[in-house]
């Protein structure tokens, strides 16, 4: 069965610092992986996706993620945090039955 | 291009009542998914519709049901509402059944049960 684990329910960084949000997956087949962001009182916005092409995936708003099969990881990074990055971030794996399985989410706080 | 739209934005009901939530997918998308985001429980998959048929459902009781219309819009019905049904209900659409197709989400309907 496929699953996703996000390490750290809360991450706090200073403005301008590196953002690193961790995601590990479990899958018996090559996975399709996604990162979404949720701002307060809004739905989920797709940041980026891994669908077995390049292992380093670039997304919107300066975010990128690297697929590492040996580590079963798909961590999300951004070189320099902005105040506007404060939100909740979800890692998800797509299963053959069609739906997404989400991690529990990581709330990112950005300090001025 | 319009995104996924959901209505109503907020819905307040009492225990035992029935609720109907609506979703319009992105133009050209045939698959619609419903998810529940309840406090402390995270995002849980409810239902998947494609081409008018229910393709998969999550681990929810039968009082959660829905349908997809010929124009690919969808509605979610929740009968015999219980307090624990209070949650944000998110609808998503994708351009096909392939699991590498990203899902695009609406802003949700917040259902409050009094």
């Amino acid at each position: 069965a496929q699953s996703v684990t996000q390490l750290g329910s809360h991450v706090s960084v200073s403005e301008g610092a590196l953002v690193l949000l961790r995601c590990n997956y479990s899958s018996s087949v090559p996975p399709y992986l996604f990162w979404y962001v949720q701002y307060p009182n809004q739905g989920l916005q797709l940041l980026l996706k891994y669908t077995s092409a390049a292992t380093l995936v670039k997304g919107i708003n300066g975010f990128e993620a690297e697929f590492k099969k040996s580590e079963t990881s798909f961590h999300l990074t951004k070189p320099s945090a902005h105040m506007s990055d404060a939100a909740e971030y979800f890692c998800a794996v797509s299963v053959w039955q069609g739906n997404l399985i989400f991690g529990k989410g990581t709330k990112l706080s950005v300090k001025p | 291009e319009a995104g996924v739209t959901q209505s109503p934005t907020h819905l307040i009901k009492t225990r035992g009542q029935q609720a109907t939530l609506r979703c319009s997918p992105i133009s050209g998308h045939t698959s619609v998914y419903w998810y529940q985001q309840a406090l402390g429980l995270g995002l849980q998959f409810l239902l998947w519709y494609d081409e008018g048929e229910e393709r998969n459902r999550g681990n929810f009781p039968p009082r959660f049901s829905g349908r997809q219309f010929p124009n690919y819009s969808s509605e979610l019905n929740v009968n015999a509402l219980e307090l624990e049904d209070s949650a944000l209900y998110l609808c998503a659409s994708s351009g096909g059944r392939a699991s590498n197709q990203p899902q695009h989400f609406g802003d949700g309907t917040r259902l409050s049960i009094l």
Side-chain angles (χ1 to χ4, degrees):
Chain A
Q2 282 138 311
S3 65
V4 171
T5 302
Q6 290 184 243
L7 297 175
S9 58
H10 289 88
V11 169
S12 182
V13 300
S14 297
E15 193 172 19
L18 171 71
V19 175
L20 171 60
L21 304 182
R22 299 178 187 274
C23 172
N24 288 88
Y25 69 90
S26 172
S27 176
S28 57
V29 297
Y32 297 122
L33 296 160
F34 305 85
W35 274 100
Y36 286 88
V37 60
Q38 186 177 33
Y39 297 99
N41 300 312
Q42 293 188 23
L44 276 68
Q45 181 181 9
L46 179 68
L47 277 176
L48 48 80
K49 62 178 181 179
Y50 169 76
T51 55
S52 74
T55 56
L56 182 62
V57 182
K58 294 188 182 297
I60 62 171
N61 302 339
F63 284 94
E64 63 181 36
E66 187 172 8
F67 174 74
K68 291 187 177 180
K69 184 178 179 180
S70 61
E71 298 177 8
T72 61
S73 69
F74 190 55
H75 302 330
L76 182 71
T77 60
K78 182 173 180 177
S80 176
H82 295 161
M83 297 297 292
S84 60
D85 294 328
E88 190 160 18
Y89 292 79
F90 293 92
C91 182
V93 64
S94 179
V95 301
W96 68 268
Q97 298 95 331
N99 54 287
L100 294 171
I101 294 177
F102 287 90
K104 292 188 181 300
T106 298
K107 284 189 178 176
L108 175 66
S109 301
V110 182
K111 298 175 292 187
Chain B
E1 178 185 87
V4 176
T5 57
Q6 293 187 243
S7 63
T9 305
H10 294 93
L11 192 55
I12 300 175
K13 295 285 186 179
T14 57
R15 287 179 60 191
Q17 285 189 313
Q18 185 246 359
T20 298
L21 290 62
R22 295 180 176 82
C23 172
S24 291
I26 291 172
S27 178
H29 284 190
T30 61
S31 277
V32 170
Y33 310 81
W34 289 95
Y35 294 85
Q36 182 196 66
Q37 188 176 27
L39 201 61
L41 295 179
L43 282 150
Q44 297 185 79
F45 166 68
L46 267 166
L47 290 159
W48 170 33
Y49 292 94
D50 181 73
E51 298 282 358
E53 300 286 332
E54 182 181 303
R55 301 296 180 181
N56 193 23
R57 69 178 291 132
N59 188 26
F60 282 84
R63 57 191 186 84
F64 286 85
S65 65
R67 54 180 170 166
Q68 186 178 33
F69 299 98
N71 66 353
Y72 303 115
S73 67
S74 175
E75 68 179 28
L76 174 69
N77 295 294
V78 188
N79 294 320
L81 287 164
E82 300 178 2
L83 293 176
E84 54 264 34
D85 297 333
S86 293
L88 180 67
Y89 289 82
L90 292 167
C91 173
S93 72
S94 71
R97 295 186 208 173
S99 52
N100 64 350
Q101 293 289 319
Q103 296 180 19
H104 300 272
F105 286 79
D107 283 338
T109 292
R110 185 162 297 281
L111 177 62
S112 299
I113 312 302
L114 303 179

